[in-house]
Amino acid sequence: MPEVVLGVCGGIAAYKACELLRLFTESGHGVRVVPTASALRFVGEPTWAALSNRPVATEVWDDAHEVPHVRIGRAAELVVVAPATADILAKAAHGIADDLLTNTLLTATCPVVYAPAMHTEMWENPATRANVATLRSRGAIVIEPAVGRLTGRDTGKGRLPEPAAIFEYALRVLRARRRDLAGRHVVVTAGGTREPLDPVRFLGNRSSGKQGYALARAALARGARVTLIAANVTLPDPAGADVLRVGTTEELRKATVEAAAGADIVVMAAAPADFRPATVAEQKIKKTDGGAPDPITLVTNPDIAAELGAAKGPGQVLVAFAAETHGALEHARQKMVRKRADLIVVNEVGADRVFGQDRNTVTVLGADGSAEALDELSKDDVADRIFDHVVVQLDGQVGGGPQV
């Protein structure tokens, strides 16, 4: 039974940790809840004990003969602090140990995940930003807070991510136990762009964004800082990702080019429209009685991956995707050369294949001529296998993509 320590700090979001605790226990994890004294002002000790089926202690003096301030951290396979207040981030960054939770954080040798929750001004304060940077530089995982309703009438960045999102993220960390992307900045694009025809119609595609979101989760679990650029995706944001929302291919291009500058890895999992209408009608196009509609003239959209491939510097890894309906491998190899990609992920798609599904069958081609065909896997597992290839590229990267 995996052992998890759930640290709970004093904030209004402490009540959400009850749901997170339930998700852990119902999935077979043993959970030791370590609340701060201020957390108990929001949710009492009996609640934590009942939900975890374990005793709850907050002070190093409780059960002193068992040396809890050392034993709890050593025994854990994962520590999750949710909500993590500005106070706990500051104490952890500076090695302050004045209660059981902070002692546990100092003795833990397993991955530690902080899920911050605080007002926007506190999150954006230079002191908090410096503390977060310090923790991340030491290998701790500090996920980005969500944007939404805070206490009172306030709204902004600082909301605790939903418990289900934190739980899913924690599971990825437990499964991976790899920190091979720590300190790396990963940019992932996801979803499908929409090109307006008139105020109510657009040209688009069937991409759901599921594979891109799985890639973002995998990179986060392996320690990366992730920028996720989502084109018309309705999925819950991966806990910890910095999510940018776009609509058209040009918006996707602008956001990706900006985010990719200085990034270590760029994964182009989105499905940008190859074409767009030459003109956009200012009013809804009406049907005429018995008349044929006017023809729609299309123009070619920019090739974002090719632009990134031409501009990427030494050490940056570019992963492209090729969704094909026929001749997939042949077309993909041509695309890899044209886009100067280091890796290209190939799949055959259709109305009932891949798009919107939870599983995927792909082949990963490398610029060095390598190829790995993956049998049908969950999109989360596909994402991890893709990053296995990326890590190999990072280890042996000398700059540039395929030579042409």
Side-chain angles (χ1 to χ4, degrees):
M1 177 186 295
E3 287 294 318
V4 176
V5 171
L6 176 59
V8 185
C9 299
I12 191 64
Y15 78 93
K16 290 186 177 181
C18 296
E19 175 65 12
L20 179 59
L21 171 57
R22 186 188 65 81
L23 291 170
F24 275 120
T25 56
E26 290 188 356
S27 59
H29 296 80
V31 184
R32 176 69 181 261
V33 182
V34 183
T36 64
S38 56
L40 294 177
R41 296 176 68 90
F42 291 92
V43 181
E45 179 182 333
T47 299
W48 300 120
L51 291 176
S52 66
N53 198 32
R54 292 187 176 184
V56 174
T58 62
E59 299 294 339
V60 295
W61 311 110
D62 296 335
D63 299 318
H65 65 288
E66 296 181 352
V67 197
H69 69 290
V70 174
R71 180 180 54 82
I72 294 174
R74 284 179 176 174
E77 296 177 59
L78 178 69
V79 177
V80 179
V81 183
T85 59
D87 180 67
I88 199 69
L89 295 176
K91 288 179 177 179
H94 291 86
I96 296 173
D98 60 357
D99 64 4
L100 187 57
L101 178 56
T102 49
N103 274 270
T104 298
L105 293 172
L106 277 180
T107 56
T109 57
C110 61
V112 179
V113 177
Y114 296 89
M118 64 195 73
H119 276 75
T120 306
E121 294 83 357
M122 298 174 71
W123 173 251
E124 295 178 349
N125 187 283
T128 302
R129 305 310 301 155
N131 292 331
V132 169
T134 296
L135 290 170
R136 285 173 171 166
S137 71
R138 295 172 182 164
I141 304 167
V142 185
I143 65 180
E144 292 290 313
V147 176
R149 185 71 176 269
L150 305 174
T151 55
R153 298 181 179 180
D154 292 341
T155 299
K157 189 168 187 177
R159 181 182 175 89
L160 184 73
E162 291 304 310
I166 300 172
F167 174 69
E168 183 177 325
Y169 185 89
L171 291 185
R172 301 293 301 174
V173 173
L174 275 171
R175 283 197 294 266
R177 295 302 296 269
R178 289 172 289 188
R179 309 292 297 152
D180 47 14
L181 294 180
R184 303 285 190 174
H185 179 202
V186 178
V187 175
V188 179
T189 68
T193 60
R194 296 176 179 178
E195 306 298 333
L197 177 61
D198 63 21
V200 298
R201 300 183 180 91
F202 60 85
L203 299 179
N205 57 64
R206 299 177 184 272
S207 178
S208 65
K210 287 185 176 181
Q211 186 63 75
Y213 273 49
L215 284 156
R217 290 192 296 268
L220 287 162
R222 293 168 83 146
R225 176 170 69 91
V226 175
T227 300
L228 174 60
I229 304 173
N232 305 296
V233 181
T234 58
L235 302 170
D237 291 345
D242 185 10
V243 182
L244 307 177
R245 302 196 180 280
V246 298
T248 67
T249 298
E250 180 54 38
E251 290 173 354
L252 176 65
R253 174 195 165 277
K254 183 176 184 296
T256 305
V257 169
E258 291 179 359
D264 299 287
I265 304 157
V266 182
V267 185
M268 297 295 295
D274 292 325
F275 310 101
R276 70 180 186 275
T279 60
V280 180
E282 294 183 359
Q283 298 180 339
K284 180 182 176 182
I285 300 172
K286 298 291 188 180
K287 288 190 296 184
T288 59
D289 293 336
D294 292 334
I296 299 173
T297 301
L298 300 178
V299 296
T300 303
N301 270 324
D303 189 327
I304 305 171
E307 181 177 352
L308 294 173
K312 73 186 179 78
Q316 187 180 73
V317 174
L318 174 63
V319 182
F321 272 64
E324 304 288 349
T325 57
H326 63 283
L329 293 182
E330 179 183 352
H331 289 305
R333 290 190 177 97
Q334 294 172 1
K335 283 185 176 181
M336 182 161 56
V337 173
R338 188 170 66 252
K339 299 173 188 290
R340 298 185 63 83
D342 300 285
L343 297 166
I344 192 162
V345 182
V346 194
N347 53 16
E348 294 192 8
V349 298
D352 298 316
R353 302 179 63 185
V354 180
F355 288 137
Q357 305 299 311
D358 294 324
R359 301 181 70 78
N360 205 349
T361 302
V362 306
T363 299
V364 182
L365 301 179
D368 58 0
S370 62
E372 182 186 15
L374 302 180
D375 292 332
E376 184 179 279
L377 297 169
S378 72
K379 289 186 174 179
D380 283 315
D381 287 336
V382 168
D384 261 328
R385 297 290 285 274
I386 291 171
F387 279 116
D388 288 343
H389 285 272
V390 169
V391 170
V392 172
Q393 291 285 327
L394 288 171
D395 290 341
Q397 182 66 268
V398 294
Q403 300 302 308
V404 295

